[in-house]
Amino acid sequence: PHNTANEQYDTANEPYNTAEMPYNTVNEQHNTTNEPYNTAKMPYNTANEPHNTANEQYDTANEPYNTAEMPYNTVNEQHNTTNEPYNTAKMPYNTANEPHNTANE
């Protein structure tokens, strides 16, 4: 009875399996077409591997420094924001002094 049930299942699936065949054939052609490109890329990928590994090690080594710099950067941003109105206020004075500075030179 199990074999009979399996045969009926196979028979029911037959049209679906047949319908998939042209898709599989087209995919095989794509795979075959892409094969030389994939093969050609392999030496480049292999050559880049030690560089990628070295870069990962470098990034990992720099991680604590990058993390440590964050509070300093945040503090500097706050200083820059605080100084912004003073810098803006100085601009007309700097512009007015420009011809005097040129004359003094």
Side-chain angles (χ1 to χ4, degrees):
H2 296 293
N3 290 342
T4 303
N6 285 339
E7 283 172 9
Q8 290 168 342
Y9 182 80
D10 289 344
T11 303
N13 279 334
E14 188 67 35
Y16 299 104
N17 293 340
T18 304
E20 280 179 358
M21 284 177 67
Y23 298 105
N24 292 341
T25 303
V26 169
N27 284 338
E28 282 173 10
Q29 290 168 344
H30 285 301
N31 291 341
T32 304
T33 303
N34 284 333
E35 188 67 34
Y37 299 105
N38 294 339
T39 304
K41 282 181 179 173
M42 282 177 68
Y44 297 104
N45 292 341
T46 303
N48 281 334
E49 190 66 34
H51 297 292
N52 292 342
T53 303
N55 284 339
E56 283 174 9
Q57 291 168 342
Y58 183 79
D59 289 343
T60 303
N62 280 334
E63 188 67 34
Y65 300 105
N66 293 340
T67 303
E69 282 177 357
M70 282 176 68
Y72 299 104
N73 292 342
T74 303
V75 169
N76 283 338
E77 283 174 9
Q78 289 168 345
H79 284 302
N80 291 341
T81 303
T82 303
N83 284 332
E84 189 68 33
Y86 299 105
N87 294 339
T88 303
K90 283 180 181 172
M91 283 177 67
Y93 298 104
N94 291 342
T95 303
N97 282 332
E98 191 68 33
H100 296 292
N101 292 341
T102 303
N104 285 338
E105 284 175 4

